[in-house]
């Protein structure tokens, strides 16, 4: 399923991300974008790529609800792709050929959120780790 972005772009509609820490979370959305123009690896040339993001819902200790999205992943089934590595870390197994990332919506995860400084000097909270939810939870 593809989501057509609004002209304003960005993920500001998600609201304030959770503070840095480790959380139990649920994937609340999968955002696929097709034909996004990106620079080729180590090149000034551009190419059209299909990308995806996962949006997770988190409830902090204070009871506040937050959403946070992953960075964009190029949609690729290669075992070396960042998307495959992310899904394997999350589910404990490599995704099968033909699997639909939208099927992960509603699945729980333990995520680690870290505050990272961008090149522009601003600090952003990003998902830097993911693991399956332990069976005892």
């Amino acid at each position: 399923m593809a989501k057509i972005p609004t002209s304003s772009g960005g993920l500001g509609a998600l609201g304030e991300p959770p503070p840095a820490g480790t959380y139990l979370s649920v994937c609340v959305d999968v955002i696929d974008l097709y034909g996004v123009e990106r620079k080729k690896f180590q090149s000034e040339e551009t190419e059209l790529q299909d990308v995806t993001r996962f949006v997770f819902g988190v409830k902090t200790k204070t009871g506040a609800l937050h959403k946070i999205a992953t960075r964009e992943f190029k949609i690729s089934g290669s075992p070396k792709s960042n998307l495959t590595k992310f899904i394997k870390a999350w589910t404990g197994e490599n995704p099968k050929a033909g699997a639909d990332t939208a099927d992960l919506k509603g699945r729980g995860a333990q995520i680690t959120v870290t505050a990272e400084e961008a090149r522009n000097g601003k600090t952003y909270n990003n998902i830097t780790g993911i693991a399956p939810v332990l069976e005892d939870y």
Side-chain angles (χ1 to χ4, degrees):
M1 157 176 57
K3 302 269 184 167
I4 299 173
T6 61
S7 59
S8 62
L11 294 171
L14 296 178
E16 188 70 25
T22 300
Y23 302 97
L24 290 177
S25 64
V26 173
C27 179
V28 296
D29 201 2
V30 178
I31 302 170
D32 296 323
L33 298 173
Y34 300 101
V36 177
E37 189 171 349
R38 294 283 185 256
K39 282 187 179 180
K40 289 183 177 182
F41 182 68
Q42 295 183 340
S43 173
E44 290 302 313
E45 291 182 62
T46 60
E47 64 182 342
L48 298 180
Q49 295 180 353
D50 298 334
V51 296
T52 191
R53 286 181 184 258
F54 300 94
V55 180
F56 291 90
V58 171
K59 185 175 184 179
T60 60
K61 290 179 183 177
T62 63
L65 300 175
H66 300 272
K67 289 182 184 175
I68 187 167
T70 63
R71 60 185 181 84
E72 286 182 349
F73 293 106
K74 181 178 178 181
I75 298 175
S76 170
S78 167
K80 293 182 179 182
S81 76
N82 288 326
L83 177 60
T84 298
K85 291 174 187 176
F86 183 83
I87 292 173
K88 183 176 183 178
W90 179 6
T91 65
E93 55 189 38
N94 282 318
K96 300 200 180 350
D100 187 351
T101 54
D103 293 341
L104 295 168
K105 189 174 176 180
R107 187 178 185 122
Q110 182 174 307
I111 61 170
T112 300
V113 176
T114 307
E116 297 179 322
E117 189 173 327
R119 289 181 222 163
N120 63 8
K122 291 183 180 181
T123 301
Y124 296 96
N125 287 4
N126 296 310
I127 297 173
T128 56
I130 191 163
V133 176
L134 298 174
E135 291 183 26
D136 295 343
Y137 292 96

PDB file of all heavy atoms in Angstrom, residues 83-121:
ATOM      1  N   LEU A  83      17.042  -2.707   5.165  1.00  0.00           N
ATOM      2  CA  LEU A  83      15.668  -3.112   5.456  1.00  0.00           C
ATOM      3  C   LEU A  83      15.627  -4.553   5.953  1.00  0.00           C
ATOM      4  O   LEU A  83      14.995  -4.854   6.974  1.00  0.00           O
ATOM      5  CB  LEU A  83      14.779  -2.954   4.217  1.00  0.00           C
ATOM      6  CG  LEU A  83      13.326  -3.411   4.369  1.00  0.00           C
ATOM      7  CD1 LEU A  83      12.608  -2.627   5.463  1.00  0.00           C
ATOM      8  CD2 LEU A  83      12.587  -3.291   3.045  1.00  0.00           C
ATOM      9  N   THR A  84      16.320  -5.450   5.273  1.00  0.00           N
ATOM     10  CA  THR A  84      16.345  -6.856   5.680  1.00  0.00           C
ATOM     11  C   THR A  84      16.968  -7.001   7.063  1.00  0.00           C
ATOM     12  O   THR A  84      16.454  -7.732   7.920  1.00  0.00           O
ATOM     13  CB  THR A  84      17.105  -7.707   4.642  1.00  0.00           C
ATOM     14  OG1 THR A  84      16.400  -7.623   3.407  1.00  0.00           O
ATOM     15  CG2 THR A  84      17.198  -9.154   5.069  1.00  0.00           C
ATOM     16  N   LYS A  85      18.064  -6.300   7.314  1.00  0.00           N
ATOM     17  CA  LYS A  85      18.720  -6.364   8.625  1.00  0.00           C
ATOM     18  C   LYS A  85      17.799  -5.852   9.732  1.00  0.00           C
ATOM     19  O   LYS A  85      17.737  -6.425  10.814  1.00  0.00           O
ATOM     20  CB  LYS A  85      20.018  -5.556   8.608  1.00  0.00           C
ATOM     21  CG  LYS A  85      21.101  -6.168   7.748  1.00  0.00           C
ATOM     22  CD  LYS A  85      22.311  -5.243   7.670  1.00  0.00           C
ATOM     23  CE  LYS A  85      23.345  -5.737   6.691  1.00  0.00           C
ATOM     24  NZ  LYS A  85      24.466  -4.787   6.552  1.00  0.00           N
ATOM     25  N   PHE A  86      17.076  -4.758   9.447  1.00  0.00           N
ATOM     26  CA  PHE A  86      16.145  -4.182  10.427  1.00  0.00           C
ATOM     27  C   PHE A  86      15.022  -5.160  10.743  1.00  0.00           C
ATOM     28  O   PHE A  86      14.709  -5.403  11.914  1.00  0.00           O
ATOM     29  CB  PHE A  86      15.582  -2.859   9.880  1.00  0.00           C
ATOM     30  CG  PHE A  86      14.667  -2.141  10.824  1.00  0.00           C
ATOM     31  CD1 PHE A  86      15.176  -1.328  11.816  1.00  0.00           C
ATOM     32  CD2 PHE A  86      13.289  -2.271  10.706  1.00  0.00           C
ATOM     33  CE1 PHE A  86      14.325  -0.653  12.699  1.00  0.00           C
ATOM     34  CE2 PHE A  86      12.437  -1.596  11.571  1.00  0.00           C
ATOM     35  CZ  PHE A  86      12.964  -0.785  12.573  1.00  0.00           C
ATOM     36  N   ILE A  87      14.414  -5.733   9.703  1.00  0.00           N
ATOM     37  CA  ILE A  87      13.306  -6.678   9.918  1.00  0.00           C
ATOM     38  C   ILE A  87      13.800  -7.919  10.662  1.00  0.00           C
ATOM     39  O   ILE A  87      13.123  -8.431  11.547  1.00  0.00           O
ATOM     40  CB  ILE A  87      12.617  -7.033   8.588  1.00  0.00           C
ATOM     41  CG1 ILE A  87      11.883  -5.791   8.036  1.00  0.00           C
ATOM     42  CG2 ILE A  87      11.650  -8.197   8.760  1.00  0.00           C
ATOM     43  CD1 ILE A  87      11.315  -5.964   6.648  1.00  0.00           C
ATOM     44  N   LYS A  88      14.984  -8.399  10.350  1.00  0.00           N
ATOM     45  CA  LYS A  88      15.530  -9.570  11.044  1.00  0.00           C
ATOM     46  C   LYS A  88      15.770  -9.264  12.520  1.00  0.00           C
ATOM     47  O   LYS A  88      15.447 -10.075  13.392  1.00  0.00           O
ATOM     48  CB  LYS A  88      16.826 -10.040  10.386  1.00  0.00           C
ATOM     49  CG  LYS A  88      17.367 -11.299  11.037  1.00  0.00           C
ATOM     50  CD  LYS A  88      18.588 -11.832  10.330  1.00  0.00           C
ATOM     51  CE  LYS A  88      19.031 -13.129  11.005  1.00  0.00           C
ATOM     52  NZ  LYS A  88      20.179 -13.720  10.339  1.00  0.00           N
ATOM     53  N   ALA A  89      16.317  -8.087  12.817  1.00  0.00           N
ATOM     54  CA  ALA A  89      16.531  -7.705  14.214  1.00  0.00           C
ATOM     55  C   ALA A  89      15.200  -7.612  14.962  1.00  0.00           C
ATOM     56  O   ALA A  89      15.108  -7.956  16.142  1.00  0.00           O
ATOM     57  CB  ALA A  89      17.279  -6.378  14.282  1.00  0.00           C
ATOM     58  N   TRP A  90      14.152  -7.174  14.272  1.00  0.00           N
ATOM     59  CA  TRP A  90      12.830  -6.980  14.859  1.00  0.00           C
ATOM     60  C   TRP A  90      12.099  -8.306  15.055  1.00  0.00           C
ATOM     61  O   TRP A  90      11.539  -8.565  16.116  1.00  0.00           O
ATOM     62  CB  TRP A  90      12.055  -6.042  13.961  1.00  0.00           C
ATOM     63  CG  TRP A  90      10.650  -5.693  14.341  1.00  0.00           C
ATOM     64  CD1 TRP A  90       9.974  -6.026  15.482  1.00  0.00           C
ATOM     65  CD2 TRP A  90       9.743  -4.923  13.567  1.00  0.00           C
ATOM     66  NE1 TRP A  90       8.713  -5.514  15.454  1.00  0.00           N
ATOM     67  CE2 TRP A  90       8.544  -4.827  14.292  1.00  0.00           C
ATOM     68  CE3 TRP A  90       9.835  -4.313  12.326  1.00  0.00           C
ATOM     69  CZ2 TRP A  90       7.443  -4.128  13.800  1.00  0.00           C
ATOM     70  CZ3 TRP A  90       8.742  -3.620  11.857  1.00  0.00           C
ATOM     71  CH2 TRP A  90       7.555  -3.529  12.584  1.00  0.00           C
ATOM     72  N   THR A  91      12.095  -9.136  14.023  1.00  0.00           N
ATOM     73  CA  THR A  91      11.273 -10.352  14.069  1.00  0.00           C
ATOM     74  C   THR A  91      12.058 -11.604  14.432  1.00  0.00           C
ATOM     75  O   THR A  91      11.473 -12.634  14.740  1.00  0.00           O
ATOM     76  CB  THR A  91      10.600 -10.592  12.705  1.00  0.00           C
ATOM     77  OG1 THR A  91      11.616 -10.848  11.724  1.00  0.00           O
ATOM     78  CG2 THR A  91       9.746  -9.402  12.285  1.00  0.00           C
ATOM     79  N   GLY A  92      13.392 -11.518  14.334  1.00  0.00           N
ATOM     80  CA  GLY A  92      14.219 -12.679  14.620  1.00  0.00           C
ATOM     81  C   GLY A  92      14.446 -13.581  13.416  1.00  0.00           C
ATOM     82  O   GLY A  92      15.089 -14.611  13.526  1.00  0.00           O
ATOM     83  N   GLU A  93      13.912 -13.197  12.257  1.00  0.00           N
ATOM     84  CA  GLU A  93      14.112 -14.007  11.046  1.00  0.00           C
ATOM     85  C   GLU A  93      14.153 -13.122   9.810  1.00  0.00           C
ATOM     86  O   GLU A  93      13.600 -12.018   9.796  1.00  0.00           O
ATOM     87  CB  GLU A  93      13.012 -15.061  10.912  1.00  0.00           C
ATOM     88  CG  GLU A  93      11.613 -14.503  10.925  1.00  0.00           C
ATOM     89  CD  GLU A  93      10.545 -15.586  11.009  1.00  0.00           C
ATOM     90  OE1 GLU A  93      10.732 -16.577  11.707  1.00  0.00           O
ATOM     91  OE2 GLU A  93       9.502 -15.394  10.354  1.00  0.00           O
ATOM     92  N   ASN A  94      14.822 -13.619   8.780  1.00  0.00           N
ATOM     93  CA  ASN A  94      14.870 -12.884   7.516  1.00  0.00           C
ATOM     94  C   ASN A  94      13.480 -12.847   6.896  1.00  0.00           C
ATOM     95  O   ASN A  94      12.754 -13.846   6.951  1.00  0.00           O
ATOM     96  CB  ASN A  94      15.837 -13.559   6.535  1.00  0.00           C
ATOM     97  CG  ASN A  94      17.280 -13.253   6.848  1.00  0.00           C
ATOM     98  OD1 ASN A  94      17.629 -12.127   7.176  1.00  0.00           O
ATOM     99  ND2 ASN A  94      18.120 -14.262   6.756  1.00  0.00           N
ATOM    100  N   PRO A  95      13.108 -11.705   6.289  1.00  0.00           N
ATOM    101  CA  PRO A  95      11.818 -11.659   5.600  1.00  0.00           C
ATOM    102  C   PRO A  95      11.833 -12.583   4.387  1.00  0.00           C
ATOM    103  O   PRO A  95      12.853 -12.722   3.718  1.00  0.00           O
ATOM    104  CB  PRO A  95      11.684 -10.195   5.188  1.00  0.00           C
ATOM    105  CG  PRO A  95      13.062  -9.645   5.223  1.00  0.00           C
ATOM    106  CD  PRO A  95      13.835 -10.452   6.204  1.00  0.00           C
ATOM    107  N   LYS A  96      10.724 -13.210   4.138  1.00  0.00           N
ATOM    108  CA  LYS A  96      10.614 -14.122   2.993  1.00  0.00           C
ATOM    109  C   LYS A  96      10.376 -13.310   1.717  1.00  0.00           C
ATOM    110  O   LYS A  96       9.809 -12.226   1.759  1.00  0.00           O
ATOM    111  CB  LYS A  96       9.467 -15.096   3.223  1.00  0.00           C
ATOM    112  CG  LYS A  96       9.673 -15.930   4.487  1.00  0.00           C
ATOM    113  CD  LYS A  96       8.864 -17.179   4.491  1.00  0.00           C
ATOM    114  CE  LYS A  96       9.019 -18.056   5.698  1.00  0.00           C
ATOM    115  NZ  LYS A  96      10.037 -17.798   6.650  1.00  0.00           N
ATOM    116  N   ALA A  97      10.816 -13.848   0.596  1.00  0.00           N
ATOM    117  CA  ALA A  97      10.598 -13.183  -0.690  1.00  0.00           C
ATOM    118  C   ALA A  97       9.102 -12.948  -0.892  1.00  0.00           C
ATOM    119  O   ALA A  97       8.285 -13.839  -0.627  1.00  0.00           O
ATOM    120  CB  ALA A  97      11.161 -14.038  -1.819  1.00  0.00           C
ATOM    121  N   GLY A  98       8.736 -11.773  -1.307  1.00  0.00           N
ATOM    122  CA  GLY A  98       7.330 -11.436  -1.546  1.00  0.00           C
ATOM    123  C   GLY A  98       6.590 -10.975  -0.306  1.00  0.00           C
ATOM    124  O   GLY A  98       5.404 -10.653  -0.382  1.00  0.00           O
ATOM    125  N   ALA A  99       7.258 -10.926   0.853  1.00  0.00           N
ATOM    126  CA  ALA A  99       6.601 -10.483   2.084  1.00  0.00           C
ATOM    127  C   ALA A  99       6.194  -9.017   1.939  1.00  0.00           C
ATOM    128  O   ALA A  99       6.875  -8.233   1.292  1.00  0.00           O
ATOM    129  CB  ALA A  99       7.530 -10.666   3.277  1.00  0.00           C
ATOM    130  N   ASP A 100       5.078  -8.661   2.545  1.00  0.00           N
ATOM    131  CA  ASP A 100       4.567  -7.290   2.505  1.00  0.00           C
ATOM    132  C   ASP A 100       4.902  -6.612   3.829  1.00  0.00           C
ATOM    133  O   ASP A 100       4.503  -7.083   4.887  1.00  0.00           O
ATOM    134  CB  ASP A 100       3.057  -7.317   2.280  1.00  0.00           C
ATOM    135  CG  ASP A 100       2.454  -5.940   2.055  1.00  0.00           C
ATOM    136  OD1 ASP A 100       3.161  -4.926   2.243  1.00  0.00           O
ATOM    137  OD2 ASP A 100       1.274  -5.876   1.698  1.00  0.00           O
ATOM    138  N   THR A 101       5.641  -5.499   3.776  1.00  0.00           N
ATOM    139  CA  THR A 101       6.009  -4.804   5.011  1.00  0.00           C
ATOM    140  C   THR A 101       4.769  -4.315   5.772  1.00  0.00           C
ATOM    141  O   THR A 101       4.820  -4.177   6.993  1.00  0.00           O
ATOM    142  CB  THR A 101       6.935  -3.602   4.718  1.00  0.00           C
ATOM    143  OG1 THR A 101       6.300  -2.759   3.744  1.00  0.00           O
ATOM    144  CG2 THR A 101       8.278  -4.055   4.203  1.00  0.00           C
ATOM    145  N   ALA A 102       3.669  -4.092   5.084  1.00  0.00           N
ATOM    146  CA  ALA A 102       2.435  -3.647   5.756  1.00  0.00           C
ATOM    147  C   ALA A 102       1.922  -4.695   6.738  1.00  0.00           C
ATOM    148  O   ALA A 102       1.194  -4.366   7.674  1.00  0.00           O
ATOM    149  CB  ALA A 102       1.363  -3.320   4.730  1.00  0.00           C
ATOM    150  N   ASP A 103       2.323  -5.966   6.553  1.00  0.00           N
ATOM    151  CA  ASP A 103       1.901  -7.018   7.485  1.00  0.00           C
ATOM    152  C   ASP A 103       2.528  -6.853   8.867  1.00  0.00           C
ATOM    153  O   ASP A 103       2.093  -7.484   9.827  1.00  0.00           O
ATOM    154  CB  ASP A 103       2.252  -8.402   6.925  1.00  0.00           C
ATOM    155  CG  ASP A 103       1.436  -8.747   5.684  1.00  0.00           C
ATOM    156  OD1 ASP A 103       0.378  -8.116   5.462  1.00  0.00           O
ATOM    157  OD2 ASP A 103       1.873  -9.635   4.927  1.00  0.00           O
ATOM    158  N   LEU A 104       3.550  -6.016   8.996  1.00  0.00           N
ATOM    159  CA  LEU A 104       4.202  -5.780  10.286  1.00  0.00           C
ATOM    160  C   LEU A 104       3.442  -4.761  11.137  1.00  0.00           C
ATOM    161  O   LEU A 104       3.724  -4.611  12.321  1.00  0.00           O
ATOM    162  CB  LEU A 104       5.646  -5.336  10.078  1.00  0.00           C
ATOM    163  CG  LEU A 104       6.543  -6.397   9.446  1.00  0.00           C
ATOM    164  CD1 LEU A 104       7.869  -5.797   9.007  1.00  0.00           C
ATOM    165  CD2 LEU A 104       6.756  -7.557  10.395  1.00  0.00           C
ATOM    166  N   LYS A 105       2.484  -4.082  10.531  1.00  0.00           N
ATOM    167  CA  LYS A 105       1.658  -3.132  11.272  1.00  0.00           C
ATOM    168  C   LYS A 105       0.910  -3.888  12.373  1.00  0.00           C
ATOM    169  O   LYS A 105       0.339  -4.946  12.137  1.00  0.00           O
ATOM    170  CB  LYS A 105       0.672  -2.452  10.317  1.00  0.00           C
ATOM    171  CG  LYS A 105      -0.080  -1.303  10.914  1.00  0.00           C
ATOM    172  CD  LYS A 105      -0.910  -0.618   9.850  1.00  0.00           C
ATOM    173  CE  LYS A 105      -1.751   0.479  10.427  1.00  0.00           C
ATOM    174  NZ  LYS A 105      -2.550   1.154   9.403  1.00  0.00           N
ATOM    175  N   GLY A 106       0.976  -3.369  13.597  1.00  0.00           N
ATOM    176  CA  GLY A 106       0.334  -4.012  14.736  1.00  0.00           C
ATOM    177  C   GLY A 106       1.275  -4.918  15.515  1.00  0.00           C
ATOM    178  O   GLY A 106       0.928  -5.385  16.593  1.00  0.00           O
ATOM    179  N   ARG A 107       2.472  -5.162  15.003  1.00  0.00           N
ATOM    180  CA  ARG A 107       3.441  -6.033  15.673  1.00  0.00           C
ATOM    181  C   ARG A 107       4.218  -5.240  16.721  1.00  0.00           C
ATOM    182  O   ARG A 107       4.638  -4.115  16.495  1.00  0.00           O
ATOM    183  CB  ARG A 107       4.394  -6.633  14.650  1.00  0.00           C
ATOM    184  CG  ARG A 107       5.317  -7.659  15.253  1.00  0.00           C
ATOM    185  CD  ARG A 107       6.212  -8.265  14.194  1.00  0.00           C
ATOM    186  NE  ARG A 107       6.995  -9.320  14.778  1.00  0.00           N
ATOM    187  CZ  ARG A 107       6.996 -10.576  14.374  1.00  0.00           C
ATOM    188  NH1 ARG A 107       6.241 -10.930  13.356  1.00  0.00           N
ATOM    189  NH2 ARG A 107       7.746 -11.473  14.953  1.00  0.00           N
ATOM    190  N   GLY A 108       4.430  -5.843  17.871  1.00  0.00           N
ATOM    191  CA  GLY A 108       5.179  -5.219  18.952  1.00  0.00           C
ATOM    192  C   GLY A 108       6.677  -5.275  18.718  1.00  0.00           C
ATOM    193  O   GLY A 108       7.176  -6.109  17.963  1.00  0.00           O
ATOM    194  N   ALA A 109       7.385  -4.383  19.383  1.00  0.00           N
ATOM    195  CA  ALA A 109       8.843  -4.340  19.299  1.00  0.00           C
ATOM    196  C   ALA A 109       9.387  -3.636  20.530  1.00  0.00           C
ATOM    197  O   ALA A 109       8.681  -2.854  21.177  1.00  0.00           O
ATOM    198  CB  ALA A 109       9.296  -3.593  18.056  1.00  0.00           C
ATOM    199  N   GLN A 110      10.622  -3.925  20.835  1.00  0.00           N
ATOM    200  CA  GLN A 110      11.342  -3.160  21.841  1.00  0.00           C
ATOM    201  C   GLN A 110      12.294  -2.260  21.065  1.00  0.00           C
ATOM    202  O   GLN A 110      13.133  -2.752  20.318  1.00  0.00           O
ATOM    203  CB  GLN A 110      12.122  -4.092  22.758  1.00  0.00           C
ATOM    204  CG  GLN A 110      12.864  -3.366  23.852  1.00  0.00           C
ATOM    205  CD  GLN A 110      13.499  -4.326  24.836  1.00  0.00           C
ATOM    206  OE1 GLN A 110      12.816  -5.192  25.361  1.00  0.00           O
ATOM    207  NE2 GLN A 110      14.778  -4.172  25.062  1.00  0.00           N
ATOM    208  N   ILE A 111      12.116  -0.943  21.194  1.00  0.00           N
ATOM    209  CA  ILE A 111      12.953  -0.021  20.423  1.00  0.00           C
ATOM    210  C   ILE A 111      13.835   0.796  21.357  1.00  0.00           C
ATOM    211  O   ILE A 111      13.473   1.068  22.501  1.00  0.00           O
ATOM    212  CB  ILE A 111      12.126   0.920  19.519  1.00  0.00           C
ATOM    213  CG1 ILE A 111      11.173   1.800  20.332  1.00  0.00           C
ATOM    214  CG2 ILE A 111      11.390   0.149  18.449  1.00  0.00           C
ATOM    215  CD1 ILE A 111      10.508   2.905  19.520  1.00  0.00           C
ATOM    216  N   THR A 112      14.993   1.174  20.842  1.00  0.00           N
ATOM    217  CA  THR A 112      15.889   2.078  21.551  1.00  0.00           C
ATOM    218  C   THR A 112      15.901   3.390  20.782  1.00  0.00           C
ATOM    219  O   THR A 112      16.139   3.413  19.570  1.00  0.00           O
ATOM    220  CB  THR A 112      17.313   1.498  21.634  1.00  0.00           C
ATOM    221  OG1 THR A 112      17.246   0.253  22.334  1.00  0.00           O
ATOM    222  CG2 THR A 112      18.247   2.444  22.369  1.00  0.00           C
ATOM    223  N   VAL A 113      15.621   4.473  21.505  1.00  0.00           N
ATOM    224  CA  VAL A 113      15.603   5.812  20.932  1.00  0.00           C
ATOM    225  C   VAL A 113      16.817   6.566  21.475  1.00  0.00           C
ATOM    226  O   VAL A 113      17.049   6.574  22.687  1.00  0.00           O
ATOM    227  CB  VAL A 113      14.293   6.552  21.296  1.00  0.00           C
ATOM    228  CG1 VAL A 113      14.310   7.980  20.780  1.00  0.00           C
ATOM    229  CG2 VAL A 113      13.081   5.786  20.776  1.00  0.00           C
ATOM    230  N   THR A 114      17.577   7.160  20.571  1.00  0.00           N
ATOM    231  CA  THR A 114      18.783   7.883  20.946  1.00  0.00           C
ATOM    232  C   THR A 114      18.727   9.290  20.394  1.00  0.00           C
ATOM    233  O   THR A 114      18.283   9.496  19.258  1.00  0.00           O
ATOM    234  CB  THR A 114      20.032   7.162  20.373  1.00  0.00           C
ATOM    235  OG1 THR A 114      19.998   5.797  20.782  1.00  0.00           O
ATOM    236  CG2 THR A 114      21.315   7.798  20.859  1.00  0.00           C
ATOM    237  N   ALA A 115      19.193  10.264  21.182  1.00  0.00           N
ATOM    238  CA  ALA A 115      19.300  11.644  20.711  1.00  0.00           C
ATOM    239  C   ALA A 115      20.594  11.767  19.915  1.00  0.00           C
ATOM    240  O   ALA A 115      21.668  11.438  20.420  1.00  0.00           O
ATOM    241  CB  ALA A 115      19.299  12.612  21.880  1.00  0.00           C
ATOM    242  N   GLU A 116      20.467  12.196  18.645  1.00  0.00           N
ATOM    243  CA  GLU A 116      21.634  12.322  17.770  1.00  0.00           C
ATOM    244  C   GLU A 116      21.674  13.715  17.169  1.00  0.00           C
ATOM    245  O   GLU A 116      20.640  14.248  16.767  1.00  0.00           O
ATOM    246  CB  GLU A 116      21.573  11.283  16.646  1.00  0.00           C
ATOM    247  CG  GLU A 116      21.624   9.859  17.147  1.00  0.00           C
ATOM    248  CD  GLU A 116      21.543   8.838  16.026  1.00  0.00           C
ATOM    249  OE1 GLU A 116      20.792   9.074  15.055  1.00  0.00           O
ATOM    250  OE2 GLU A 116      22.227   7.824  16.111  1.00  0.00           O
ATOM    251  N   GLU A 117      22.875  14.281  17.082  1.00  0.00           N
ATOM    252  CA  GLU A 117      23.032  15.600  16.493  1.00  0.00           C
ATOM    253  C   GLU A 117      23.226  15.473  14.985  1.00  0.00           C
ATOM    254  O   GLU A 117      24.063  14.696  14.518  1.00  0.00           O
ATOM    255  CB  GLU A 117      24.229  16.329  17.108  1.00  0.00           C
ATOM    256  CG  GLU A 117      24.308  17.778  16.687  1.00  0.00           C
ATOM    257  CD  GLU A 117      25.385  18.556  17.413  1.00  0.00           C
ATOM    258  OE1 GLU A 117      25.653  18.253  18.584  1.00  0.00           O
ATOM    259  OE2 GLU A 117      25.955  19.470  16.783  1.00  0.00           O
ATOM    260  N   ALA A 118      22.444  16.245  14.244  1.00  0.00           N
ATOM    261  CA  ALA A 118      22.533  16.245  12.778  1.00  0.00           C
ATOM    262  C   ALA A 118      23.617  17.219  12.322  1.00  0.00           C
ATOM    263  O   ALA A 118      24.143  17.999  13.119  1.00  0.00           O
ATOM    264  CB  ALA A 118      21.184  16.637  12.178  1.00  0.00           C
ATOM    265  N   ARG A 119      23.926  17.168  11.051  1.00  0.00           N
ATOM    266  CA  ARG A 119      24.947  18.061  10.477  1.00  0.00           C
ATOM    267  C   ARG A 119      24.588  19.529  10.650  1.00  0.00           C
ATOM    268  O   ARG A 119      25.458  20.381  10.721  1.00  0.00           O
ATOM    269  CB  ARG A 119      25.138  17.763   8.994  1.00  0.00           C
ATOM    270  CG  ARG A 119      25.834  16.463   8.749  1.00  0.00           C
ATOM    271  CD  ARG A 119      26.023  16.237   7.263  1.00  0.00           C
ATOM    272  NE  ARG A 119      25.727  14.824   7.010  1.00  0.00           N
ATOM    273  CZ  ARG A 119      25.466  14.313   5.867  1.00  0.00           C
ATOM    274  NH1 ARG A 119      25.417  15.057   4.792  1.00  0.00           N
ATOM    275  NH2 ARG A 119      25.220  13.027   5.732  1.00  0.00           N
ATOM    276  N   ASN A 120      23.290  19.822  10.729  1.00  0.00           N
ATOM    277  CA  ASN A 120      22.859  21.211  10.872  1.00  0.00           C
ATOM    278  C   ASN A 120      22.915  21.701  12.324  1.00  0.00           C
ATOM    279  O   ASN A 120      22.524  22.821  12.614  1.00  0.00           O
ATOM    280  CB  ASN A 120      21.449  21.404  10.302  1.00  0.00           C
ATOM    281  CG  ASN A 120      20.396  20.600  11.039  1.00  0.00           C
ATOM    282  OD1 ASN A 120      20.657  19.995  12.078  1.00  0.00           O
ATOM    283  ND2 ASN A 120      19.189  20.580  10.505  1.00  0.00           N
ATOM    284  N   GLY A 121      23.367  20.832  13.232  1.00  0.00           N
ATOM    285  CA  GLY A 121      23.506  21.206  14.636  1.00  0.00           C
ATOM    286  C   GLY A 121      22.293  20.905  15.494  1.00  0.00           C
ATOM    287  O   GLY A 121      22.359  20.989  16.720  1.00  0.00           O
TER     288      GLY A 121
END
